[in-house]
Structure formats: C-alpha cells, structure tokens
Amino acid sequence: MDKLVIEGGKSLRGEVTVSGAKNAVLPILAATLLTEEPCVIKGVPNLRDTNTMLKILRSLGKNAEFDKGTVRVTQAKETNFVADYKLVSTMRASFCVLGPLLGKLKKAKVSLPGGCVIGVRPVDLHLKGFKALGTEITIEGGYVNAVAKNLKGNRMYLGGAYGSSVLATDNVMMAAVLAKGKTIIESAACEPEVVDLAEFLIKMGAKIKGYGTPIIEIEGVKYLHGAEHRIIPDRIEAGTFIIAALITRGDITIKNVMFQHLGALIDKLEEAGAHISRTDGSMRVRSRKRLTPINITTLPYPGFPTDIQAQIMSLMTVTPGISVITEKIYPDRFMHVAELNRMGAHIQREGPHAIVEGIKHLSGAPVMASDLRASAGLVLAGLAAKGLTSVSRIYHLERGYENMEMKLQALGAKIWREKE
Ligand code: EPZ
C-alpha cells in the first residue's frame, strides 16, 4: 500500500486541467449495456473506479478497451445478466448495471452493494423505481433478482429521507428508456452527471425530457443504438483545486471546468472573500487576503455538494473564526474530523454538524484516509500545514482523482508517494 507524503507551506501556482467526471462516466459506461452496437466514450479519467466498471462490463459480455482517455465498448459475447458480488461490493456505482440489464434483457441478478464508511447507503429508492416499472424483485443470498415480464412505463416518486438519489435516478432512467410507454420520475436528481447520462442515452436513441429538473419524462423506445460521447469535466475535482489554491494562498488557473456546475461552492467562497475570475472554460483562483468563516449545509444539486464537504472543512480549519458545517446527505460523513484534529484543528462534531474553530496553522501529522473525499480533504490540509503530513491508504484517493499528486507537483506542491 502507498501513502502520500506532503511537505506543507508551499503556495500553489500555475495551471491545472480537470479530468472527466467520475460520477458521470460510471453510469454512462453501464448504459453501454443497453445496446449491442459499439460505443465510444471520450474524456474518460483513468481511475480505480473506472477500471472496476470496465471489469464489470467485461464480466457481463462486453469488450472494453481503454486507451488515452477513450473507452471503446463492443459486444464480445451474449450479455450475462449476473453481476458478481466480488466486483459490485468494491464499488457502489456498480449497482447501476441493474437498470440497463433490466431494460435490455428484462432480467438481472446484481449483488447488493452493502454499506460503506460514509453511511448506510440503502438502495430502496432504486428498487421502488424498478417495481413501479412492473419488475418483480426478490432478495436472496445478498443478490437482487429482478424480473420484468412486462417492463412498463409508470409515474413514480423517487424522493427519500435525504432528498433525491443520483444513482437511483440514473438506474431507473436506464431501465425506463426501453420500457413500454411513458415513465415520469418525480423528485429526480438534478445533478450534472444525471444530465450527462441523459444526453448519452438520447444519442443512443432514447426519448427523455426534463432531465436536469426534478421531473423527468421518458417515452420508452424499442431499440437503442451505439453512440459516441464526451464526458463532462469533474466538478468535484475542480472544486478540490479551487480550495487547494485558497488553502495554500496560491494563484491557480483551472482549465476544463464548467462554471455553471460550481455555483454553490463559488458563492460560498466569494462570501468568504475569495477572488475567483472566470473565462470561457477556465477559471483563476487567487487568495488575496485571509478568508472569513462561512456556514455550509450540503444539499442535493444545485445545493452545496456533499462531495466537497471534507475539502471545505479543511479550508475552514485554517480560517480564523467559527464555521458550522452541516451534512444533510450523509449525516455520518465525518471520518475526516478526527484526522484533521490530529493535525491540530479544532473541530467538534454535534450530530450532523461540525463546528470548526479556525486557527492560524495546522501542523503536519500522519493521518489515515477513510474514503475518497476525506482523503482529498486531508491532502489539502497537508498542503497548508507546517511540516510533514503523511496520508495513508491513498487507494481511496485513486478511486476518484486522476494523477492527483502529479497535478499538485506541477503546481509547485512538495508531495510524493512512499510505500507504507
Ligand atoms: C452519488 O452517490 C455519488 N456517487 C456520490 O459520490 C455522492 O456523494 C452522492 O451521489 C450524493 O451526491 C456516484 O455518482 C457514483 P444518493 P449515490 O443516492 O447516488 C439516500 C463520491 O465521493 N438514499 O444520491 O449513491 C442516501 O443514503 C461519491 O464521488 C436512500 O435513502 O447517492 C443518501 O442519504 C460518494 N435510498 C441520499 O439518499 C436509496 O435507495 C443521497 O444519496 C438511495 C439513496
């Protein structure tokens, strides 16, 4: 296992290019199961999670070649309808093959993904949607068996206790595109990654309206064909680099960003006093003066993303004053709090709230990554801290950030990899 070692205190300067969005590419790769024709997906980030999804596609009967950011998916043999525990258990997004398998074959057997460190993460909303389409669902031996004699469009409400669900919206949309008749998903997720999937499905011949709003309408078609698509830039990676510029008092130009996907983050950072200027397709982030504390509440898009909660918390640990961070998507997503406190941060957790008392400096320490975004938060803290920080278990980071340490090195960070 590798760890990242960071010598903090260097201001980051220069240009960085954001990769394609992990949370868009995973369901889009799953959607290639809806056709036997070839699909070409461009702008694909080389991540542990992308490679897991390619392995799953191969196990389900596809050829999937990945070369220089482009994935070509072709049919190798008859589509297999069973997605194995070993693959699905390593990544929750693998559950997203259920929708396309059901749409295409009218049956699927997919392992339940299980919980993870950020919370329980049930799949009841996915199953509710499939049932509404006329699917019989049974759960046996840790697998979901889904059979639809007559996959039929229907109206359904997919809001849960914590709002809409991104992957449930994706999953159900992928089944509904090949169902008979009209499906209406109410309380659909509006995330840009859902929009990217809908646009790919439309290129394949699907009839979808209202995507990007809470009410999606799908008119089922009989057949989908192959398509070519370029993945949108990763808004969470962009957000992480924005915070990297601010936490190191640097000056970074970030390329390949969609400004409109980062509204809530930019609004909050501007409220804190950050200077962010925008040009077409890129942005410049400068830290001119000390920021002031801000209160954050994570919410479904277009609200503040839970996937940037750990990173903004790191920034607030070195922003003198009190900030309150409230997590409304995953109330237990606070594994980074104890690790940041090991670096000298003053954070107190009170249920779904973290009360951060900003101080002048963190001090480097050995810390442990617990999940993908917590790892990113710890790397950012390490960049700002005095002395050496080592972040262990960085395989979490490799799940969702392409060449993170190389990109940071190019911006002047002192960061390197060592064996644990
Ligand atoms: C997606 O997960 C992302 N993953 C997550 O990113 C992200 O944190 C999350 O959306 C929220 O934005 C991918 O897109 C691959 P949800 P997803 O269903 O779809 C509850 C990262 O770091 N819920 O939108 O699985 C759920 O527990 C990852 O890149 C149910 O109750 O999340 C949560 O409280 C981590 N029942 C809320 O809904 C369900 O059936 C929203 O979760 C499904 C979800």
Side-chain angles (χ1 to χ4, degrees), residues 106-123:
K106 314 299 177 222
K107 63 177 178 181
K109 182 176 173 185
V110 178
S111 169
L112 279 163
C116 69
V117 289
I118 68 172
V120 181
R121 305 188 79 187
V123 290

Side-chain angles (χ1 to χ4, degrees), residues 12-14 16 238-254 257 259 262 265-266 269-270 273-278 282-288 291 315:
L12 301 192
R13 280 168 205 286
V16 64
T240 304
F241 281 110
I242 293 174
I243 296 173
L246 297 173
I247 205 168
T248 65
R249 304 285 200 99
D251 182 348
I252 302 184
T253 298
I254 305 170
V257 274
F259 220 81
L262 288 158
L265 173 68
I266 290 170
L269 292 174
E270 286 181 343
H275 190 83
I276 301 175
S277 51
R278 43 203 100 176
S282 69
M283 63 169 78
R284 183 171 173 197
V285 187
R286 273 171 291 175
S287 181
R288 285 183 165 163
L291 299 181
L315 179 63

Side-chain angles (χ1 to χ4, degrees), residues 22-23 26 92-93 118 121-126 162 164-167 191 306-307 329-330 333 372-373:
K22 166 182 87 81
N23 291 345
L26 298 175
R92 185 179 164 81
I118 68 172
R121 305 188 79 187
V123 290
D124 55 315
L125 296 172
H126 301 236
Y162 300 100
S164 54
S165 162
V166 176
L167 290 180
E191 269 69 3
T306 173
D307 291 344
I329 310 284
Y330 299 112
R333 194 178 202 179
L372 165 57
R373 307 304 171 186

Side-chain angles (χ1 to χ4, degrees), residues 41 51 58 74 98 111 141 161 183 200 239 252 290 384:
I41 316 296
N51 286 298
R58 290 181 195 120
T74 51
L98 207 162
S111 169
T183 297
F200 176 60
I252 302 184
R290 209 173 248 293

Side-chain angles (χ1 to χ4, degrees), residues 306-338:
T306 173
D307 291 344
I308 306 187
Q309 183 254 103
Q311 300 90 315
I312 198 112
M313 191 182 293
S314 294
L315 179 63
M316 289 302 110
T317 62
V318 288
T319 303
I322 304 282
S323 307
V324 179
I325 298 178
T326 303
E327 176 54 67
K328 283 228 175 154
I329 310 284
Y330 299 112
D332 287 324
R333 194 178 202 179
F334 284 121
M335 301 296 281
H336 40 287
V337 167

